[in-house]
Amino acid sequence: MPTTSPPPPAVPTPGGPGRLGFLSCPALARIPPREVVPPPPPLPRPGPARPGRALTTLVLQTYARFTEAPLKLHKLSNPWRSPAGRLPALKTREEGVLSKTHEIITHLRKQKYNADYDLSARQGADTLAFMCLLEEKLLPALIHTFWVDAENYVAHTRKWYAEATPFPLNFFLPNRMHKQRLEQLQLLCGDDCLEDEERLEKLYHEARECLTLLSQRLGAQKFFFGDSPASLDAFVFSHLAPLLKAKLPNGKLQQHLKSLENLCNYCTSILSLYFPWDSGDPPATAPRPPAPGGSDSEEDPHKWRNQILSVLVALGAMISYAMLSGIVSIPWTEPSLPGRWPISLEEEEEKE
C-alpha cells in the first residue's frame, strides 16, 4: 500500500457523509521513536451520548494533521464500504480495523504521534475537563441546531445528506440518522426536553456560556496551550468549525459564535494551516500509475457487492411499483382438490 498521502480534502460540513471515510495506516513502525514519551492524559470513553460519526471523523482528521501521521484517506459516502461496516475506521497492520475514537487516537499515540507530548499534568487535566464541557454543554445544542430545528434540518442537513449519499441510501439514511440524533438528545437532556420551552432555552444558554468560556480560555493565544496544537484543539475545532461555516436559516447559536472574534480567527487559522484546500480545489497533480499486479479491490474492496445490491434494490422497487399501480397483475386460480378433475358444464348436463 503506498505510503504517500493524497491532497487533503475539504473540511466536512456538519453531518456530511460524503466527506467520511476510513484511514489506512502505512508503515508507522519505521518512524524513529522519541527518547522519552510522558504518559498522555486518558481520553474519555465512549458512552451513549458520543458525538456523531461526521464529528468524530473530523476530530480524527484534525488530530492526524496536527501530528503529521502518514495516513491515507479514503473518502466514502457509503458506510457499507468501510472495513468496519461503519464510519470512521482506521485500517492498521498491527491491530486490524479500529472504529472508536479513543482506540484510533491511542493507536496513533503508541506510534509516537502524540499531540499532547509537551503537555504538563495540569494541562492534561484541563484537556479532560474541557472535553467533558463540550459534550455536556455544547454538543446537545449542536444536535438540536442541525437535526431537531425544523428549518435547519429541512434546508441544510437533510438536503445535504440526500445530495451526498448514493442511491438507494439517500432515501432512508437521513431519516434514520435524524431518529438517532433525537434519541441521543433525549439521553442527554431527558425525554421532555424538546417540548419544554424553558429547558430548551436553558440548553442554548448553557451552550452560549460554553462558547464564552472557551473564548476566555483561548484569549490571544494561537492554540489553547500555546503555539502548538493539542488534542483539545482537535476536539474544539471539530465542534466549532461546522457551526461557523454552515449556512443555517435559524442560526442563533451561530450568531453568538461569530460574535466571539478570537474563536472565529482560531477556526479560520486552523482551516488555512491544516485544511488549505477548503476554499478551492487542490492543485492538479499527475495521475498515479497503477500498481503492478494491483486491482481495484484494494481501493474498493466491496465494489461488486455494492453494484449487485444496487441493481437488486432498483429491480425490487420497479417490480413493487408495477404491481401496486396495476401495470402488472398475477392471475390467481382456486386450486382443485387432489384426485379430482374439473367437470365441464356439458358433462354435468349428460349426467342429469
Side-chain angles (χ1 to χ4, degrees), residues 49-58 87-88 101 139 143 147 177 181 184:
R50 299 300 297 171
R53 291 297 175 185
L55 178 58
T56 303
T57 303
L58 184 54
L87 300 171
T101 308
L139 181 60
I143 295 175
W147 292 96
M177 298 192 68
R181 296 300 176 267
Q184 183 180 3

Side-chain angles (χ1 to χ4, degrees), residues 114-149:
N114 185 6
D116 298 333
Y117 175 78
D118 297 322
L119 298 187
S120 63
R122 181 176 180 180
Q123 291 173 334
D126 290 343
T127 299
L128 289 178
F130 277 98
M131 285 183 181
C132 294
L133 182 68
L134 288 172
E135 291 194 13
E136 294 180 4
K137 303 301 181 182
L138 183 59
L139 181 60
L142 291 178
I143 295 175
H144 188 276
T145 298
F146 287 106
W147 292 96
V148 181
D149 186 277

Side-chain angles (χ1 to χ4, degrees), residues 18-192:
R19 299 290 196 263
L20 301 185
F22 71 89
L23 306 172
S24 59
C25 187
L28 290 176
R30 294 183 298 178
I31 306 300
R34 302 181 181 180
E35 296 180 357
V36 180
V37 179
L43 292 172
R45 294 287 177 174
R50 299 300 297 171
R53 291 297 175 185
L55 178 58
T56 303
T57 303
L58 184 54
V59 170
L60 296 175
Q61 288 188 39
T62 308
Y63 185 90
R65 298 191 184 194
F66 283 170
T67 58
E68 298 182 355
L71 302 180
K72 183 177 180 181
L73 181 67
H74 297 255
K75 296 186 292 183
L76 301 179
S77 57
N78 187 347
W80 292 348
R81 296 172 58 188
S82 169
R86 57 182 180 178
L87 300 171
L90 176 67
K91 187 177 181 181
T92 66
R93 296 179 180 177
E94 299 85 358
E95 302 182 31
V97 178
L98 307 175
S99 60
K100 297 181 180 179
T101 308
H102 72 281
E103 293 178 347
I104 296 176
I105 295 182
T106 300
H107 174 79
L108 294 178
R109 286 174 169 177
K110 291 179 181 178
Q111 304 297 332
K112 315 307 178 187
Y113 294 97
N114 185 6
D116 298 333
Y117 175 78
D118 297 322
L119 298 187
S120 63
R122 181 176 180 180
Q123 291 173 334
D126 290 343
T127 299
L128 289 178
F130 277 98
M131 285 183 181
C132 294
L133 182 68
L134 288 172
E135 291 194 13
E136 294 180 4
K137 303 301 181 182
L138 183 59
L139 181 60
L142 291 178
I143 295 175
H144 188 276
T145 298
F146 287 106
W147 292 96
V148 181
D149 186 277
E151 295 183 16
N152 295 337
Y153 176 69
V154 173
H156 177 78
T157 309
R158 187 178 65 182
K159 179 182 177 182
W160 200 97
Y161 266 94
E163 295 176 352
T165 310
F167 175 86
L169 295 179
N170 54 352
F171 284 102
F172 63 88
L173 185 60
N175 293 330
R176 177 185 176 187
M177 298 192 68
H178 177 251
K179 182 179 178 181
Q180 291 175 348
R181 296 300 176 267
L182 287 177
E183 295 175 353
Q184 183 180 3
L185 186 60
Q186 290 174 350
L187 286 175
L188 285 167
C189 306
D191 296 337
D192 57 343

Side-chain angles (χ1 to χ4, degrees), residues 213-280:
L213 184 59
L214 290 173
S215 175
Q216 295 174 354
R217 178 63 179 82
L218 179 63
Q221 298 181 110
K222 186 176 182 180
F223 299 101
F224 276 90
F225 298 115
D227 296 331
S228 300
S231 60
L232 177 61
D233 295 285
F235 279 84
V236 173
F237 169 79
S238 301
H239 282 74
L240 301 186
L243 179 63
L244 181 63
K245 294 297 182 179
K247 297 180 180 180
L248 302 175
N250 187 8
K252 50 185 178 181
L253 186 61
Q254 186 183 61
Q255 293 175 1
H256 183 73
L257 174 60
K258 291 182 177 180
S259 67
L260 304 173
E261 184 177 358
N262 62 340
L263 287 183
C264 296
N265 295 336
Y266 168 81
C267 293
T268 304
S269 175
I270 293 179
L271 284 172
S272 61
L273 290 174
Y274 298 97
F275 297 88
W277 292 284
D278 175 60
S279 58

